[in-house]
Amino acid sequence: MESDSGTEAAGTDTSTGAGTGIVALAVTDGMLHFELSVAYEVFSDPLYELAVHGPAPVRFGRFLLEPDGGFEGLAGAGTVIVPGWADADVDPPAALVDAVRAAHEAGARVASLCTGAFVLAAAGLLDGRRATTHWAHTEALAARYPRVEVDPDVLYVDNGSVLTSAGKAAAMDLCLHLVRLDHGSALANTVARRLVVPPHRAGGQAQFVTAPVPAQDDHPLAALFPWVLERLGEPLTVEDLARRANMSSRNLTRHFRTVTGTTPLQWLLTQRIRHAQELLEATDDSVDAIATATGMGTATTLRRHFNRTIGVPPDTYRRTFRSTRSTRADAHRHAGHDRAAGMH
């Protein structure tokens, strides 16, 4: 199921192949070390089995990397990550393209970070699909691969079994989105805290804002955010937020656009939806109770906004999340059993 707004879609394609808990980074000479490092940090969590596959050794700028194995190892992964490609004007190696295509055909979920989208496009995985890449390369991607519907304005696009992110920090957003799909918002938030990054930016958010983003705790809204998050069950308005921040509604909106890239109401709605996801994942509370706890008021309101943002109704999200989590846990458990058996 494609998220038509570029935001996250719950329970998208869960039909991954063998080794569902295995995340493989597909690497070769000329890739960007930032995106590689982002994926490595996020998926180093014990809930995943992380491996790096490519020709040995691989050079990233001034760094030399020794992969765990060759491209053939991608076929056994549940998720394949393709980091950014340094020179988007040069065709990626045929061996890499073929291996990524074969992994997807074997059932792997494939995600590209930044200009890694050029690898997925060369493999034909983006034909007829929406996709994104770093804003500086979206025109080149669209020109070279006209069958790809390139969206230059979003952080990432989730097509289920194929995902693409914009550049740099958006790679972190997509990786955390994958963790959220696999294990829920609570774990994704824990990973984000460990990495000291925002826990969630919706995929449909703009790739960049015109004004610089201030340091994390050095902006006029730093004290307001935690105050709001503790009161999501209350019927907060823009005027309430402005009063708490001791500024006019107009100034509040200006600061919100500078810091978050969105409006106060949209930010507040995103936090309510994220809290609803956590409650759907971790509790058996009714949709009515969750609507009250998240400040949505009624189940009808929650369902309308949840469906519009996430792509499925709350009840479907809960069933799909629990089914996906169970499936992935079983696959991870079986993979561990198979590896243990192979040692005897």
Side-chain angles (χ1 to χ4, degrees):
M1 173 186 60
E2 180 180 349
S3 174
D4 56 13
S5 64
T7 55
E8 60 184 340
T12 48
D13 193 347
T14 60
S15 58
T16 51
T20 306
I22 300 174
V23 174
L25 305 184
V27 300
T28 189
D29 288 339
M31 285 188 163
L32 301 172
H33 55 270
F34 178 83
E35 285 75 7
L36 170 68
S37 301
V38 164
Y40 196 92
E41 282 292 328
V42 171
F43 295 106
S44 291
D45 189 277
L47 287 171
Y48 291 99
E49 181 180 341
L50 181 64
V52 180
H53 290 280
V58 173
R59 180 167 293 280
F60 293 79
R62 300 181 64 180
F63 301 97
L64 200 63
L65 175 68
E66 191 70 32
D68 299 306
F71 285 139
E72 66 277 1
L74 299 181
T79 300
V80 173
I81 307 289
V82 183
W85 184 246
D87 191 348
D89 294 328
V90 176
D91 290 335
L96 171 63
V97 173
D98 292 343
V100 169
R101 184 190 302 114
H104 184 259
E105 291 174 350
R109 175 178 61 182
V110 178
S112 66
L113 309 179
C114 192
T115 48
F118 284 82
V119 177
L120 271 59
L125 302 187
L126 301 182
D127 288 354
R129 288 187 166 112
R130 287 178 62 243
T132 194
T133 186
H134 192 291
W135 61 266
H137 299 285
T138 52
E139 290 186 3
L141 182 65
R144 194 180 308 175
Y145 301 101
R147 297 184 64 186
V148 180
E149 183 185 342
V150 179
D151 190 336
D153 299 321
V154 296
L155 293 177
Y156 58 82
V157 176
D158 180 348
N159 289 301
S161 64
V162 178
L163 306 91
T164 54
S165 88
K168 303 304 176 184
M172 179 72 74
D173 295 309
L174 178 55
C175 288
L176 290 174
H177 172 66
L178 291 173
V179 175
R180 190 175 299 108
L181 289 177
D182 293 345
H183 301 290
S185 297
L187 179 66
N189 294 344
T190 298
V191 174
R193 283 194 297 271
R194 174 171 62 83
L195 298 175
V196 197
V197 297
H200 177 228
R201 293 196 298 169
Q205 185 171 319
Q207 287 198 25
F208 62 92
V209 292
T210 55
V213 177
Q216 187 171 352
D217 295 322
D218 185 22
H219 58 80
L221 304 181
L224 178 65
F225 289 161
W227 182 86
V228 173
L229 294 178
E230 292 173 359
R231 293 166 174 79
L232 290 177
E234 300 177 14
L236 298 174
T237 64
V238 173
E239 289 72 24
D240 293 330
L241 272 59
R243 191 178 305 113
R244 177 68 185 182
N246 196 28
M247 62 181 69
S248 68
S249 297
R250 182 175 180 179
N251 280 340
L252 179 77
T253 298
R254 179 170 57 83
H255 284 301
F256 255 91
R257 287 198 177 278
T258 298
V259 175
T260 70
T262 188
T263 65
L265 280 179
Q266 185 57 52
W267 180 85
L268 181 59
L269 175 61
T270 298
Q271 305 315 308
R272 295 191 195 282
I273 294 296
R274 186 162 63 84
H275 188 37
Q277 286 181 277
E278 294 173 348
L279 294 175
L280 288 165
E281 295 163 7
T283 75
D284 293 319
D285 294 350
S286 67
V287 174
D288 289 281
I290 292 175
T292 300
T294 57
M296 289 292 193
T298 68
T300 299
T301 301
L302 173 60
R303 286 191 174 96
R304 182 174 69 253
H305 287 294
F306 197 95
N307 198 3
R308 181 182 302 162
T309 303
I310 304 301
V312 294
D315 297 304
T316 302
Y317 177 86
R318 171 178 272 162
R319 288 194 301 271
T320 304
F321 170 78
R322 294 185 176 180
S323 173
T324 302
R325 182 175 59 177
S326 175
T327 299
R328 293 188 185 280
D330 288 344
H332 190 67
R333 191 161 49 246
H334 291 326
H337 175 75
D338 292 343
R339 287 192 297 273
M343 297 174 63
H344 295 293

